Amino acid sequence: MDLELGKHYRIIFLNGTKIVGELTYIKRQGIEIYSLWIDIGRQPVYISYCDVKETVQIDNYENESRH
């Protein structure tokens, strides 16, 4: 999946927890994604990409559970 800055995503971690928000930064090592920053509403959160199981683009995250 190609991630796009400014889009809203549901991030599902390997341990089953989920977080939703707007993607604000992608750090890469070469062509591989290393980490993400996602804004969950006035609070940016750092995500180590090796802990991510799945990313799902969503239209609107206001009705989603944030944690």
Side-chain angles (χ1 to χ4, degrees), residues 8 19-24 38-45 61-62 66-67:
H8 298 108
I19 192 169
V20 296
E22 179 182 342
L23 185 62
T24 59
I38 189 167
D39 185 344
I40 62 169
R42 293 182 274 159
Q43 182 178 0
V45 175
Y61 67 92
E62 290 183 10
R66 294 187 190 249
H67 300 287

Side-chain angles (χ1 to χ4, degrees), residues 1 4-5 7 11 14 18-20 25-27 34 37 40 43-44 46-47 53 58-60 63 67:
M1 168 183 252
E4 294 182 48
L5 298 179
K7 300 284 185 176
I11 308 294
L14 294 173
K18 301 173 187 175
I19 192 169
V20 296
Y25 183 74
I26 302 170
K27 181 176 181 180
Y34 179 75
W37 282 93
I40 62 169
Q43 182 178 0
Y46 171 85
I47 298 172
K53 178 180 178 181
I58 56 177
D59 292 328
N60 185 341
N63 296 328
H67 300 287

